[in-house]
Amino acid sequence: MIRLVVGLGNPGKEYERTRHNAGFWLVERFASANGVMLRKDGKFQALVGRHESAFLLMPQSFMNGSGRAVQMLAGFFKIKPEEMLVVHDELDFAPGVARVKQGGGIAGHNGLKDISQRVGSHDYWRLRIGIGHPGDKDAVADYVLQKPSAEDKTAIDQSIDRALQVLPQMIAGDMQSATQKLHSGEPKPVEKKEPPKQDAPVKEPEKKPEPQKSGGLLKSLFGKK
């Protein structure tokens, strides 16, 4: 049984439509469809709601601090890692693909990295929403903080639609049936250049920088490593 569904993203109007917020998109849509109000909880530094037996959580401390809210809520309600489902954007999948797995590598995703460190485990479930890859690992930082094209957004929304159909089964604990149904409904892959297997961690925004004369917000936050 899943007792905690976590959507990953960055808070703030400037990030709400960016690829990195795919996890937020799904949780917000699930809450809206089920009449769940997501309220700001200062203790957890997150938006929190409750749907039947499961908490819905959207950390508000930016991506690289996502684990704090997860650790605090899970600790308070004694929720085990294997009872958590983390919804996040996935560079290695094309838009339109959504897949489920338990544990595994984090491939440089700072939200997953912080959660794993804080809860001391990789054994939580993951619902991965494909956003595609820019084809160059040095372009990833800018790419995830940009809005997807209209075509990609449509494909991402369709994958979220399919995931929402099986999310109640996941929460109920029928992961096998939910996973099979989700994976069998994904679109056929389009041949394209193989993306790198692993990317360097994305440097996440922590606070608004001072206005700059040139360069733009993204370059000021995300310089090449």
Side-chain angles (χ1 to χ4, degrees), residues 91-102:
L91 284 162
D92 289 338
F93 294 157
V97 174
R99 296 183 186 173
V100 180
K101 77 171 184 177
Q102 185 178 22

Side-chain angles (χ1 to χ4, degrees), residues 55-161:
F55 288 95
L56 307 181
L57 182 73
M58 291 171 49
Q60 299 292 292
S61 52
F62 288 102
M63 188 68 81
N64 59 358
S66 301
R68 182 181 183 278
V70 176
Q71 178 189 33
M72 291 185 66
L73 190 144
F76 188 83
F77 292 103
K78 295 180 172 56
I79 299 173
K80 301 174 183 178
E82 58 268 27
E83 296 174 320
M84 303 177 193
L85 175 69
V86 179
V87 188
H88 65 90
D89 56 304
E90 178 59 72
L91 284 162
D92 289 338
F93 294 157
V97 174
R99 296 183 186 173
V100 180
K101 77 171 184 177
Q102 185 178 22
I106 59 176
H109 195 293
N110 282 343
L112 299 177
K113 179 180 178 181
D114 195 54
I115 291 172
S116 293
Q117 288 178 342
R118 297 234 185 207
V119 304
S121 174
H122 292 291
D123 291 338
Y124 49 86
W125 290 87
R126 292 164 49 185
L127 176 50
R128 302 174 289 171
I129 307 298
I131 61 169
H133 196 287
D136 179 355
K137 66 180 181 180
D138 292 329
V140 165
D142 284 345
Y143 178 80
V144 299
L145 293 179
Q146 293 170 351
K147 298 177 184 178
S149 66
E151 182 181 359
D152 283 357
K153 182 60 165 62
T154 296
I156 293 169
D157 284 342
Q158 289 173 345
S159 70
I160 290 176
D161 285 340

Side-chain angles (χ1 to χ4, degrees), residues 37-41 44 46-50 55-57 73:
M37 182 70 70
L38 296 169
R39 294 184 173 86
K40 183 70 176 289
D41 190 313
F44 298 127
L47 295 176
V48 182
R50 184 77 180 264
F55 288 95
L56 307 181
L57 182 73
L73 190 144

